[in-house]
Amino acid sequence: MRQTLIAATLVASAALPLQAQETNYPLNLTNCGVEISFDAAPDSAVTIGQSATEILYSLGLAPKVSGTSVWFNPVLPEFTAVNDGIERIADNDPSFESVVAKKPGLVAVQYEWHVGESGIVGTREMFHDIGIPTYIMPADCDTKDNSTGGDGTRTGAFKTASVYKGISELATIFDVQDAGEELVAELQTTEEDAIARASGLKLPDDLSAVFWFSSADLEIDPYVAGQLGAPGYMMGALGIENVIASDEEWPTVGWESIARADPDVIVIAYMDRRRFPADNVEKKLEFLRNDPVASQMTAVQKGRIVQMDAHAMSATMRSIYGLETLSEALSEMSFE
């Protein structure tokens, strides 16, 4: 009897998750090619980029966030109330002075073009010289060359491992590893379920798609997703061919070229941002239905247009939710 109880206890113990280790400070990390160090968990943070904001919220660190900036869409619903109580420094690009004025213990950044060698908010050196460490999400620098200007060029395909890396490193910086492990596990389950759903569908072997993020003007070439970014990951994971051959993150490609490729599915971004006319999803839909070239594409004729959260099209935690959106949309389409 005693041996049975001991065996049962051992089995039960093995089924329990292991407690994550505490962070040993000082902590030294290499982040996007820059050495950063922490003597203790930062007491506050300012975010430049919605991805960094939502990851910190998801790790239970909202009380430490003193300011946010660079928003594409409303915050994830579960964080609406807490986000309403945190200052939004800017909808888009904040000034260097407005970030520094918050005296943050860390500046967490989504895009290197905001804070980097040629950062439009400031360089990392500018922040580090006044004692403010910066952390750039690895999804924007791993397998990516941001020295090419604009949105940069991928040197290798985006993988969700870079998102999980960012979550784990921020969790380590703030000494909340348990929360980090739980968040990564939840996202991995979502990713696996989305792929399994699509694999169970009878999709054509040559299924193709194009992702349209926005356009500086509806009369000129649109910004569409290249092969190696987050949309490329979604298409590859679900067995879809991207009709855009470029390795640039968001190349501009003419509608005539896209129409010749005739994608089976068109994925369009919806967002609150209104920097360009085509940021408005209704303007995108109106264009696709009425433009003499775009309206003739099979995806438009068959109504195979998927609306996706713009933030999911960037290399972020939401890319995994975007994969789920696309997988669910495919399950409701007919390709006969």
Side-chain angles (χ1 to χ4, degrees), residues 39 42 47 55 80 117-118 130 133 152 162 167 172 224 257 269 275 287 317 325:
D39 292 328
T47 56
I55 287 175
T80 299
E117 188 173 344
S118 302
I130 56 176
S162 64
I167 292 170
T172 301
V224 290
S257 297
R275 183 174 289 177
F287 174 86
M317 180 174 71
T325 295

Side-chain angles (χ1 to χ4, degrees), residues 62-109:
K64 291 199 172 189
V65 179
S66 59
T68 70
S69 58
V70 189
W71 289 88
F72 288 93
N73 292 84
V75 71
L76 289 168
E78 59 265 37
F79 302 122
T80 299
V82 70
N83 187 65
D84 286 346
I86 296 173
E87 181 183 353
R88 182 176 292 202
I89 299 172
D91 289 335
N92 292 306
D93 312 329
S95 67
F96 176 76
E97 292 76 15
S98 67
V99 176
V100 170
K102 303 299 291 183
K103 299 180 180 178
L106 175 69
V107 175
V109 184

Side-chain angles (χ1 to χ4, degrees), residues 294-305:
S295 62
Q296 300 308 304
M297 291 188 290
T298 300
V300 179
Q301 296 279 322
K302 299 288 188 179
R304 299 196 205 107
I305 301 172

Side-chain angles (χ1 to χ4, degrees), residues 39-50:
D39 292 328
D43 57 3
S44 65
V46 165
T47 56
I48 303 176
Q50 188 170 347

Side-chain angles (χ1 to χ4, degrees), residues 56-302:
L56 291 183
Y57 289 174
S58 297
L59 292 173
L61 295 168
K64 291 199 172 189
V65 179
S66 59
T68 70
S69 58
V70 189
W71 289 88
F72 288 93
N73 292 84
V75 71
L76 289 168
E78 59 265 37
F79 302 122
T80 299
V82 70
N83 187 65
D84 286 346
I86 296 173
E87 181 183 353
R88 182 176 292 202
I89 299 172
D91 289 335
N92 292 306
D93 312 329
S95 67
F96 176 76
E97 292 76 15
S98 67
V99 176
V100 170
K102 303 299 291 183
K103 299 180 180 178
L106 175 69
V107 175
V109 184
Q110 178 172 343
Y111 297 118
E112 199 168 9
W113 64 272
H114 276 126
V115 178
E117 188 173 344
S118 302
I120 61 172
V121 176
T123 65
R124 301 189 80 174
E125 289 76 15
M126 289 169 63
F127 283 103
H128 296 181
D129 285 347
I130 56 176
I132 300 175
T134 59
Y135 181 87
I136 299 173
M137 301 310 300
D140 194 58
C141 61
D142 287 1
T143 69
K144 191 177 178 197
D145 180 5
N146 288 312
S147 67
T148 59
D151 292 305
T153 301
R154 289 279 170 186
T155 57
F158 160 76
K159 296 180 180 179
T160 51
S162 64
V163 174
Y164 301 144
K165 175 183 175 181
I167 292 170
S168 297
E169 289 188 338
L170 282 172
T172 301
I173 289 169
F174 284 94
D175 196 15
V176 289
Q177 289 91 320
D178 282 334
E181 290 180 4
E182 182 178 348
L183 177 58
V184 168
E186 290 175 357
L187 293 170
Q188 287 175 328
T189 297
T190 299
E191 184 177 13
E192 292 164 2
D193 288 348
I195 294 171
R197 181 187 300 109
S199 66
L201 303 173
K202 295 181 179 179
L203 299 174
D205 292 337
D206 59 350
L207 187 65
S208 64
V210 66
F211 277 59
W212 178 17
F213 188 82
S214 191
S215 303
D217 190 289
L218 284 164
E219 301 305 316
I220 64 177
D221 297 347
Y223 295 110
V224 290
Q227 290 278 336
L228 303 178
Y233 145 76
M234 294 182 213
M235 287 183 269
L238 302 183
I240 304 171
E241 177 190 356
N242 185 356
V243 301
I244 305 303
S246 175
D247 289 345
E248 290 183 45
E249 194 86 342
W250 293 102
T252 53
V253 179
W255 282 111
E256 292 82 3
S257 297
I258 297 171
R260 279 196 297 272
D262 198 22
D264 297 301
V265 178
I266 299 174
V267 185
I268 60 176
Y270 65 83
M271 66 189 87
D272 282 3
R273 190 192 77 172
R274 290 295 181 267
R275 183 174 289 177
F276 304 128
D279 287 351
N280 187 330
V281 73
E282 294 301 328
K283 294 289 186 182
K284 288 188 179 78
L285 291 169
E286 181 181 352
F287 174 86
L288 290 173
R289 291 164 181 159
N290 295 293
D291 180 77
V293 174
S295 62
Q296 300 308 304
M297 291 188 290
T298 300
V300 179
Q301 296 279 322
K302 299 288 188 179

